[in-house]
Amino acid sequence: MMSSNVYLSVNVYTLIIIILLVVQCYSEEAKFMSKEEKADLREQARDMFYHAYNAYMENAYPADELMPLSCKGRYRGLTPNRGDIDDCLGNFSLTLVDALDTLVILGDLSEFERAVKVVINDVSFDNDIVVSVFETNIRVLGGLLSAHILTYYLQERDGIMSWYNGELLEMAKDLGYRLLPAFNTTTGIPYSRINLLFGIKSDRLDAARETCTACAGSMILEMAALSRLTGEPIFEDKAQKAMDELWKMRHRSSDLMGSVLNVQSGDWVRRDSGVGAGIDSYYEYCLKAYILLGDTKYLNRFNRHYNAIMKYISQGPMLIDVHMHRPHTNSRNFMDALLAFWPGLQVLKGDIKPAIETHEMLYQVMQRHKFIPEAFTTDFQVHWGNHPLRPEFLESTYYLYEATKDPYYLGVGKKVLESLQKYARVPCGYAAVNDVRTTKQEDRMDSFVLSETFKYLFLLFTDPEDLILNLNEFIFTTEGHLLPLSLGLRNRSKTVLDLEIEDYEYSRRCPNTLQLFPESFRKPLKNMVDGMCPRVRSKRRLLASEFSASNVNHLKLVKDMGINIIALNDGRVQLLHSFSAARTPADAENGLLFMQEMVELSKLQPDLQETAAQSVSFQVKNDKGELQTVYIHACPAQFGVNLKGNQVVQSKTAIVHPYTACKDLENPDEIKGKIALLERGECMFIDKARRIQVAGAVGAIIIDNIPGSSAITTPMFSMSGDGKDDVKIPVVFLYSQDASKLLIALTDNPLLDVTISQMNGDVSTTKNEEESMFQKLKVSVQEFLNKHTGIVFSKTVIVGNLVADIGTDKIRVTQKKNWKEPENAKEEYKETVTNSQWSKIRAGLIKSISETELFVPINILKIYYQTLSGFSISEIQNHDIGRQTEWFLKELMIEYYQIKDDSLIVLEKTEDIPHVIRLDNKDEKENKNLETLNEILESMDQLEKICLKRIKF
């Protein structure tokens, strides 16, 4: 086991390599690659770089990027806006600056010299453009510093470029000062964006208060290098302060970090913790800051984080996000492509075994899908299909090959090269893959394709003696730029340096070589991904978010899935799943999914404290003609603008076509400047939001597609995004019953002003309103809809003092006013067979009628009739709803005359009874059916008690 105080750079693996080569001599699976084949692959990689580089220089320069399908340049402000993805563009010839040091790696010194002159003459940062601080730092500042260092390196070694006099460093310093205002926050953690000309005073920086952990924690290498090269300490000081503050913000119990934070308050906005998107390079820079600068505090921090990651996030070869404050709970069920850098970082750490395992898992995912998709599920299916030709997997492959010299990794690189050539190469460069499942291409070639992807691919097939640089003297930044390890010797006292040399020698110790047999680590994982066959699932009949305890059909469905629902004495509901109790294996699998969804839903209630609940409000006239404000409790989103305090968005509304907004919008002009109304379903919430935003909407209200759903009866939740922070409008969710209030108001006044804001906790319904809502819950119908949706009761049945109006899907039962009791009524409604449980149920229903009108869904009425009337199934099929209603009213009248004091009636708890009535079994005992009906009503009573305590409007 390695000491926690260990650092391994690529140049210290000699002992490992010798042992591994001996072991591989006896390996049956180690595939030898000839020098000729390796050299051929190296030249193919070189050709791939120049195919892309020349296409950029000839068709796109001085634009920031090449659009390879249209074969022209991408300019900020001139080409169509892509949202946050364009924040890396600043009209400063990004791709060329980013690719400068790759030319040196390739040994093309003449083109490097020409390109440096072009950058010095043409590139300017005096642009009124808002850019990403993080991307500009790692791509542009890092590119300039690396090129400056390599230029002096070549001057001293080869005597070339004698004309160069530090111009690139001056440009880097100019850019560094333009980035410095971003650090002017109360925490010292930098804003995510900055205007290159006006700093943080730009009016386009409203949403810059939130930043990702990787964005804030990936500045130290470049800023420290700038300080040590210029002698101006302010850059390193600012970046170091940001790192120190981030360390303080870790969760003290788990040592994990969240992924998004507020730069002013220091509060976590998203507490998902992993090693992928939003957090990746923070961990990378903790270790590399120690390697480059020699400060042991960075190593200590990395080791603390690393131990936490291996304890909570690493699940075998998979790395799955967890909640930083609940580290034993997964926060999502997919992984993203950015985590592919992790095995490479583990090589630098010296932890080879897990690096090999995770890399092997990723390689199998790549083989299965041609590329590693941007995100993939834990059973290795595609979650997000795009692949922008990312370099992280090749980076880890290169590190593992350097550490082990196992030819297996050359084969991996060859496979990646072939996929790039087959699916990404186009006449004008290399195009990103829009979807790995279809290999459809996208008009996009990011600068990192030249800065990293082709660089690591070339280095993988290149022997050290074929390079003009000794890479052991450098460290790669997260963008693949080269910084010399000698920077760590600058501006340091002798005492500190001597101490660091001792630690440095100690950190060069190799890990336990007896465990370094890469092939034996890979072998158990050989069929890990292939063994996970794509599952063809039929459409699920019930989702956890749709479930209602008052819906008997839902109860039957969960029973079919092998789930028993038990109402506990304290008001909670317990779900018990048994695979063997399910109707079919497919139902059992759906039951497992249902249980998982329920677990996630149960976590959402406390999570709402982190994302402020939202409100939709508008004004309508009451019966007296006075204006009153209606507030509707809305679910918030984990993307877009979460309105807080006095922040509001007010506008007219427009309905989106198509209503789900999962395809190109047909009426974008109608939506522009308005709050868009759209429906849930068919695609992800975040996809809907992006389409609405592109159309120019100022906000969005997504309406549930489940009829009858309500914030009263359904847990509130927070709509999840996909980790990308490109939605800049507020998006809220309304359950269908709640949304009907808004839709009816809009029917009366299409020009109604609607406001989205934070929910005011002082606004609440009265107790009577709450009780009325739950009375409707018990019979699965809503008084609001009855009044406003035009429900027509087609037939009336009268029995005794009870009147039932029959509608299309429900009956309404009321009492006659001023009813005169017939003399022989008690005899007419005398019960011949006494059944205590059915009597209790009837008593509860009569009590409901006495307090308010009673609505009974027809499907419930049919269950009563089929279960208790005594008729056979064949007879029942010939009885219309009128006859069933008449029987029901008569049963209630029988109970009416038996009740002495219905206010004292209490429904008793029965033993664990299944919540499903099997109507197809003629032998089902009447007593069991009655217990079931009793249990259903009691469960709804208990649900009422729970929810009434939580309701706040």
Side-chain angles (χ1 to χ4, degrees):
M1 195 73 177
M2 289 175 48
S3 165
S4 61
N5 189 23
V6 173
Y7 142 59
L8 288 176
S9 185
V10 173
N11 63 321
V12 301
Y13 288 108
T14 307
L15 179 57
I16 301 172
I17 293 168
I18 293 173
I19 293 176
L20 290 175
L21 287 175
V22 172
V23 172
Q24 289 160 8
C25 288
Y26 298 94
S27 169
E28 295 180 0
E29 294 190 11
K31 296 181 179 179
F32 175 75
M33 179 177 286
S34 67
K35 286 187 177 182
E36 291 74 18
E37 184 181 7
K38 186 177 177 183
D40 178 66
L41 291 170
R42 180 183 68 237
E43 293 311 309
Q44 283 191 56
R46 187 194 303 274
D47 171 75
M48 293 167 75
F49 170 84
Y50 281 113
H51 178 68
Y53 176 79
N54 291 334
Y56 165 77
M57 293 301 294
E58 294 168 6
N59 301 285
Y61 181 83
D64 282 319
E65 290 179 355
L66 167 70
M67 295 191 292
L69 298 183
S70 52
C71 207
K72 57 184 181 182
R74 186 183 299 280
Y75 291 89
R76 185 78 175 270
L78 298 179
T79 45
N81 188 287
R82 300 175 297 173
D84 285 354
I85 197 174
D86 280 344
D87 284 349
C88 62
L89 311 180
N91 290 344
F92 38 36
S93 303
L94 172 63
T95 296
L96 179 59
V97 174
D98 216 4
L100 288 175
D101 56 10
T102 307
L103 292 168
V104 179
I105 293 289
L106 296 172
D108 191 349
L109 303 186
S110 60
E111 179 59 23
F112 173 69
E113 182 173 7
R114 187 184 79 85
V116 168
K117 289 180 178 179
V118 169
V119 168
I120 292 172
N121 292 330
D122 297 351
V123 174
S124 171
F125 304 116
D126 201 29
N127 305 325
D128 181 12
I129 294 178
V130 174
V131 298
S132 163
V133 174
F134 163 68
E135 297 289 359
T136 304
N137 174 70
I138 65 171
R139 299 198 199 196
V140 184
L141 183 60
L144 292 172
L145 292 172
S146 179
H148 163 76
I149 290 164
L150 293 176
T151 302
Y152 271 129
Y153 182 93
L154 295 172
Q155 272 186 348
E156 297 177 4
R157 199 195 72 166
D158 300 327
I160 62 174
M161 299 180 70
S162 57
W163 55 269
Y164 179 75
N165 195 30
E167 291 86 349
L168 292 178
L169 182 59
E170 286 301 312
M171 294 177 66
K173 186 166 71 169
D174 173 43
L175 179 58
Y177 275 113
R178 293 176 188 272
L179 296 180
L180 277 185
F183 292 87
N184 293 338
T185 63
T186 54
T187 61
I189 296 171
Y191 285 105
S192 61
R193 299 173 184 85
I194 196 165
N195 188 296
L196 290 174
L197 189 60
F198 299 110
I200 58 175
K201 296 181 180 180
S202 171
D203 57 2
R204 287 172 283 173
L205 290 172
D206 293 338
R209 290 184 296 274
E210 293 180 359
T211 190
C212 69
T213 305
C215 302
S218 304
M219 305 286 290
I220 186 65
L221 294 189
E222 292 81 3
M223 286 292 186
L226 182 60
S227 283
R228 300 193 182 200
L229 289 169
T230 62
E232 300 184 23
I234 186 171
F235 305 108
E236 184 172 357
D237 290 345
K238 292 290 187 180
Q240 181 173 273
K241 172 102 171 19
M243 291 290 279
D244 293 344
E245 290 302 312
L246 284 174
W247 173 247
K248 295 176 185 176
M249 292 172 59
R250 76 193 186 284
H251 193 272
R252 298 303 175 94
S253 175
S254 68
D255 277 334
L256 293 175
M257 306 287 285
S259 56
V260 179
L261 58 131
N262 185 297
V263 300
Q264 294 289 8
S265 66
D267 295 332
W268 287 109
V269 177
R270 293 195 63 175
R271 301 190 179 194
D272 296 8
S273 187
V275 297
I279 197 169
D280 49 353
S281 51
Y282 164 72
Y283 292 134
E284 180 182 1
Y285 271 35
C286 281
L287 179 58
K288 289 185 176 179
Y290 166 68
I291 295 173
L292 181 67
L293 307 176
D295 191 335
T296 54
K297 74 178 181 182
Y298 294 116
L299 178 62
N300 174 61
R301 293 173 185 178
F302 173 78
N303 283 328
R304 291 274 295 275
H305 286 317
Y306 186 80
N307 291 337
I309 290 166
M310 299 307 291
K311 180 178 180 180
Y312 300 117
I313 296 171
S314 178
Q315 300 182 23
M318 297 189 292
L319 297 155
I320 302 176
D321 283 16
V322 300
H323 296 287
M324 62 177 284
H325 53 301
R326 296 196 304 269
H328 293 290
T329 305
N330 293 347
S331 62
R332 62 185 190 182
N333 64 349
F334 60 87
M335 296 172 275
D336 63 73
L338 285 170
L339 67 79
F341 90 101
W342 185 251
L345 193 65
Q346 288 180 306
V347 171
L348 288 181
K349 160 72 175 173
D351 203 358
I352 306 296
K353 179 180 183 293
I356 290 168
E357 292 174 339
T358 297
H359 180 274
E360 180 62 20
M361 178 270 293
L362 292 167
Y363 180 41
Q364 292 183 30
V365 171
M366 185 232 124
Q367 290 175 292
R368 181 173 192 162
H369 300 296
K370 305 178 187 67
F371 297 97
I372 297 177
E374 196 72 344
F376 54 94
T377 62
T378 51
D379 59 352
F380 310 112
Q381 308 306 310
V382 174
H383 187 71
W384 303 321
N386 58 312
H387 175 73
L389 314 185
R390 290 201 180 277
E392 286 78 13
F393 180 65
L394 277 170
E395 177 185 6
S396 288
T397 304
Y398 165 68
Y399 274 102
L400 274 167
Y401 177 67
E402 286 299 306
T404 67
K405 293 303 179 185
D406 186 345
Y408 177 84
Y409 296 109
L410 298 178
V412 173
K414 179 180 178 181
K415 191 74 174 180
V416 176
L417 183 149
E418 291 171 347
S419 287
L420 288 169
Q421 293 287 62
K422 183 175 182 179
Y423 300 109
R425 186 170 179 133
V426 294
C428 194
Y430 286 81
V433 178
N434 182 262
D435 194 324
V436 299
R437 291 164 289 197
T438 63
T439 64
K440 178 183 177 182
Q441 294 171 331
E442 186 179 346
D443 201 9
R444 170 184 179 184
M445 190 181 83
D446 291 83
S447 67
F448 56 66
V449 176
L450 295 178
S451 172
E452 297 182 85
T453 304
F454 293 137
K455 179 184 289 173
Y456 287 120
L457 189 61
F458 176 81
L459 287 173
L460 179 61
F461 300 116
T462 304
D463 294 324
E465 58 269 21
D466 296 325
L467 295 170
I468 66 172
L469 298 174
N470 180 3
L471 294 184
N472 294 328
E473 298 175 0
F474 297 86
I475 190 169
F476 287 107
T477 68
T478 192
E479 188 69 9
H481 294 307
L482 293 164
L483 295 177
L485 295 175
S486 58
L487 283 176
L489 303 178
R490 296 190 176 215
N491 307 330
R492 301 176 64 84
S493 68
K494 186 175 186 299
T495 304
V496 174
L497 180 59
D498 290 342
L499 176 62
E500 293 302 326
I501 288 177
E502 280 186 22
D503 291 339
Y504 181 71
E505 289 301 322
Y506 176 71
S507 69
R508 290 168 65 94
R509 296 179 185 176
C510 296
N512 187 342
T513 55
L514 295 178
Q515 298 181 14
L516 286 177
F517 304 134
E519 186 183 334
S520 66
F521 297 158
R522 289 195 302 268
K523 198 167 184 178
L525 304 171
K526 183 176 181 181
N527 298 312
M528 179 182 183
V529 174
D530 288 340
M532 301 297 292
C533 298
R535 300 176 184 175
V536 181
R537 295 191 180 105
S538 59
K539 185 177 180 180
R540 292 172 60 196
R541 293 184 292 170
L542 181 64
L543 303 177
S545 59
E546 303 168 347
F547 175 72
S548 171
S550 64
N551 188 315
V552 175
N553 287 332
H554 288 184
L555 296 173
K556 184 179 186 304
L557 288 174
V558 297
K559 180 67 176 178
D560 288 345
M561 291 188 285
I563 298 172
N564 278 327
I565 304 176
I566 301 174
L568 303 178
N569 293 331
D570 61 0
R572 293 175 298 154
V573 176
Q574 185 179 55
L575 303 183
L576 298 177
H577 179 261
S578 173
F579 197 95
S580 60
R583 186 170 59 89
T584 66
D587 285 327
E589 184 178 350
N590 286 334
L592 288 173
L593 294 173
F594 185 91
M595 295 290 284
Q596 292 171 1
E597 291 171 354
M598 275 295 186
V599 171
E600 292 303 317
L601 285 174
S602 70
K603 302 171 190 171
L604 292 174
Q605 188 69 28
D607 284 350
L608 286 176
Q609 298 173 2
E610 302 168 14
T611 305
Q614 303 290 278
S615 166
V616 173
S617 60
F618 50 90
Q619 289 191 324
V620 295
K621 289 185 178 180
N622 60 19
D623 296 338
K624 298 180 181 179
E626 301 169 339
L627 283 176
Q628 65 178 26
T629 302
V630 176
Y631 294 92
I632 303 175
H633 200 163
C635 298
Q638 295 178 6
F639 54 84
V641 177
N642 188 238
L643 300 174
K644 297 180 181 179
N646 296 324
Q647 294 178 320
V648 299
V649 170
Q650 185 179 68
S651 180
K652 305 290 189 296
T653 62
I655 296 177
V656 174
H657 299 292
Y659 197 24
T660 58
C662 291
K663 298 179 181 178
D664 292 340
L665 304 187
E666 299 171 5
N667 60 334
D669 293 339
E670 298 175 14
I671 297 168
K672 187 175 183 180
K674 297 180 181 178
I675 295 174
L677 301 179
L678 57 153
E679 187 180 45
R680 175 187 191 176
E682 297 185 13
C683 62
M684 295 177 63
F685 291 120
I686 187 69
D687 294 334
K688 298 173 187 287
R690 289 187 177 117
R691 288 188 179 89
I692 297 306
Q693 178 174 267
V694 170
V698 298
I701 298 174
I702 299 177
I703 298 172
D704 197 6
N705 59 356
I706 302 171
S709 63
S710 167
I712 298 296
T713 62
T714 310
M716 300 299 290
F717 71 101
S718 181
M719 294 180 287
S720 62
D722 56 11
K724 297 180 181 178
D725 185 23
D726 57 347
V727 176
K728 305 302 178 187
I729 60 174
V731 182
V732 298
F733 177 89
L734 294 182
Y735 288 107
S736 58
Q737 179 180 337
D738 308 321
S740 64
K741 302 174 186 178
L742 172 62
L743 296 177
I744 291 169
L746 289 171
T747 301
D748 295 337
N749 179 13
L751 299 180
L752 183 69
D753 284 322
V754 175
T755 302
I756 302 175
S757 62
Q758 182 177 0
M759 172 55 67
N760 184 351
D762 296 334
V763 180
S764 63
T765 58
T766 66
K767 180 180 179 182
N768 290 336
E769 287 174 327
E770 291 168 356
E771 292 175 348
S772 175
M773 289 176 183
F774 273 96
Q775 184 59 42
K776 295 162 196 169
L777 164 64
K778 291 182 181 179
V779 291
S780 299
V781 72
Q782 304 149 3
E783 182 181 6
F784 183 88
L785 292 178
N786 290 331
K787 291 181 179 179
H788 297 289
T789 57
I791 295 176
V792 177
F793 294 99
S794 58
K795 184 178 180 179
T796 300
V797 176
I798 301 175
V799 176
N801 72 333
L802 299 179
V803 180
D805 299 309
I806 303 175
T808 56
D809 60 347
K810 62 187 67 63
I811 66 171
R812 177 179 61 192
V813 183
T814 56
Q815 286 183 315
K816 278 185 179 181
K817 294 182 179 179
N818 303 320
W819 178 66
K820 294 182 178 180
E821 181 179 341
E823 293 181 359
N824 61 343
K826 290 185 178 180
E827 291 298 321
E828 182 181 354
Y829 300 116
K830 186 176 182 180
E831 189 167 39
T832 58
V833 179
T834 303
N835 189 307
S836 60
Q837 292 186 357
W838 174 227
S839 178
K840 291 175 182 178
I841 293 173
R842 292 181 312 197
L845 295 173
I846 290 174
K847 183 179 180 182
S848 298
I849 299 172
S850 66
E851 294 173 350
T852 181
E853 55 190 6
L854 171 69
F855 291 93
V856 180
I858 286 176
N859 61 345
I860 298 291
L861 175 61
K862 287 181 178 180
I863 291 174
Y864 288 151
Y865 192 65
Q866 291 169 339
T867 307
L868 302 163
S869 67
F871 292 105
S872 65
I873 295 296
S874 59
E875 290 175 314
I876 288 172
Q877 290 175 349
N878 296 322
H879 296 173
D880 63 14
I881 192 64
R883 181 167 179 176
Q884 297 179 34
T885 302
E886 184 179 355
W887 168 86
F888 179 68
L889 294 185
K890 186 175 180 179
E891 290 290 310
L892 294 181
M893 287 300 298
I894 291 172
E895 189 63 32
Y896 175 80
Y897 281 102
Q898 292 183 359
I899 295 177
K900 296 179 179 179
D901 185 2
D902 56 11
S903 65
L904 299 178
I905 291 178
V906 179
L907 297 180
E908 296 176 356
K909 177 79 169 69
T910 58
E911 294 302 317
D912 300 336
I913 300 169
H915 288 208
V916 174
I917 301 172
R918 295 180 56 85
L919 301 178
D920 57 343
N921 189 340
K922 295 182 180 179
D923 297 327
E924 192 75 25
K925 293 183 179 179
E926 179 178 293
N927 188 48
K928 186 174 181 181
N929 290 336
L930 292 172
E931 289 178 346
T932 298
L933 293 171
N934 185 29
E935 185 77 6
I936 291 172
L937 289 177
E938 185 185 2
S939 296
M940 288 187 285
D941 284 335
Q942 291 172 335
L943 179 62
E944 175 180 353
K945 293 175 184 176
I946 300 169
C947 296
L948 284 177
K949 293 177 181 178
R950 297 181 179 178
I951 294 176
K952 285 188 178 181
F953 278 76

